[in-house]
Amino acid sequence: MRTTAPRRTALALAGALLLAGCSGHRPDASDAALTVSTTTGVIADLVRRVGGERVDVTSIVPHHGDPHSYEPGPSDTAKVARADLVFSNGLFLEEPGIMKMIHNNARKGTPKVEIAAGLEQFGGHVMKLEEDLGLDVLWLGWAVEGEVAGEGAHVRTSAVKLTGPGALHVYLTDTLGNPTSYIDSTDGLDAKDSFTLPPEAHTHVNWVFTEPGTYELTVRGRVEALDGTTTDAGQGTVSFTVGGAAHGRTARGRTTLDGGHADLTLDTRQKSVYVRTDDKATGERVRLPGTTVALNVPDRAKRKVPEEQRYRFLGAAGQDVWVLPQAVVGKHIHGDMDPHAWGDVSNAEAYVRRIEAELAKADPAGRTVYERNTEAYLRTLADLHEDVTATLATVPAAHRKLITTHDAFGYLAQAYGMEVAGFVVPVPSQEPSAAEVEKLRRTIREKKVPAVFLEPHLAARADVLRRVARDEGVGLCTIYGDSFDDEVHDYVGMMRHNADELARCLGGKGSATR
């Protein structure tokens, strides 16, 4: 852990003067030695600090955008096509369509750098993504395991057979609650009943069954390369018991899963399907062959089809359905490691070192400029780390609890002595149950949380958080995770805002009042 030294205000000022023009002025492409495309505004800002006048930088995901769900358009394709260098975060932060677009449109030989994937080599660290929302039903996702050949290749999982008394729907909602259906068995199953994931990736989805009873679902996988070729990735069958109560029992000789976090997983190496889950006693990951498991969807999972027209694919409004929820805001495809590494300023320093190395490799003539800019900006980041540490140290220990709109703040919490007490887990398209709302209220009461925090780009899906905050009489404050906006538009400003807002709302003192 870095110790706090006296503040280096003069050095930070020198760094700011040296980098003058980086934040407010972007050079014309004709003036720059390198044209750089990045996936996010956070990475674009760091590249500008290192590259200065020698780089022309654009971000694919705009201000207010969500890298987990943003769908690139023609202008983004053009940015990538003219880039000399492309930076992404990696670790599945970005929506897979962004990464596929990059692989398809970057010029041959253009370096494509996933910064966080190699962060340890530059003095940073990544940590495991912990997922346990404590839902009262099974939290079931889709996953793909096993490396596949070919840069940019994806794995398509198709539903090829379903037996059971009713229909199955598998769909995702975006951050505004708009649904995209991937599997719909009401008209039979065909090639449209499928979706793609990158290798070693996982996503959350909504599973909806229209009638109680036993279902068997067979899925098949194929690896799709960018050149259009496909190869078999295996298939398998899993069972669902819908309605009733099979808690802790076995169904037809199968192990019943009815709670916790699990994934229906296609293993491209073994060409088989299994269910992976975490052992409650040991915390170790367990892999259960699909033929040995019954996934339980109990009566407490019963919901009504929403009134909105956009959900008519699920059935008539008010119709009973049984739902295993997506339970997170928007698309959320990820791997085992938490991608939000820049929440710890020490990791941002590692990002900067990696960016310097890649810019110098692509533009050796600019090496001295990149080294000088990096040295100055690292001093700025060192001061920032000290300020954030000192600001958050003013928060009383009992109040260092974070309840937010999504799970983007694990690194911030670990680095600065905070605790992630929870994040909003709406059932997309459904009003939260009384039990779910009460659980959030109970968390706020038991942990004596004085405020909760929402991210501006997810504010449209934060109604539950607003309502509970109002009812419990706690503050509703703003925190930035994945995106900038018109108020906060650079990394240093984002981290200073977060530290000051956390301190102000949780009973500490902001940097301006210390």
Side-chain angles (χ1 to χ4, degrees), residues 237-309:
T237 300
V238 292
S239 293
F240 294 84
T241 55
V242 179
H247 313 306
R249 299 190 288 112
T250 59
R252 296 167 58 187
R254 299 171 185 260
T255 300
T256 296
L257 296 180
D258 64 356
H261 184 267
D263 294 313
L264 194 159
T265 305
L266 177 70
D267 186 335
T268 62
R269 295 161 297 196
Q270 302 296 322
K271 295 189 176 180
S272 62
V273 171
Y274 63 88
V275 176
R276 69 182 189 189
T277 187
D278 295 328
D279 185 275
K280 293 181 179 178
T282 66
E284 296 294 322
R285 178 167 289 178
V286 178
R287 291 170 171 81
L288 303 171
T291 55
T292 70
V293 179
L295 301 166
N296 191 37
V297 190
D299 266 340
R300 65 179 181 272
K302 188 186 294 186
R303 297 288 188 271
K304 300 290 186 183
V305 174
E307 296 287 339
E308 294 95 329
Q309 185 63 35

Side-chain angles (χ1 to χ4, degrees), residues 125-145:
H125 73 283
V126 295
M127 64 187 194
K128 195 174 186 306
L129 184 65
E130 300 293 341
E131 290 192 294
D132 182 7
L133 302 186
L135 299 180
D136 64 351
V137 294
L138 182 66
W139 189 18
L140 182 66
W142 287 96
V144 172
E145 285 195 352

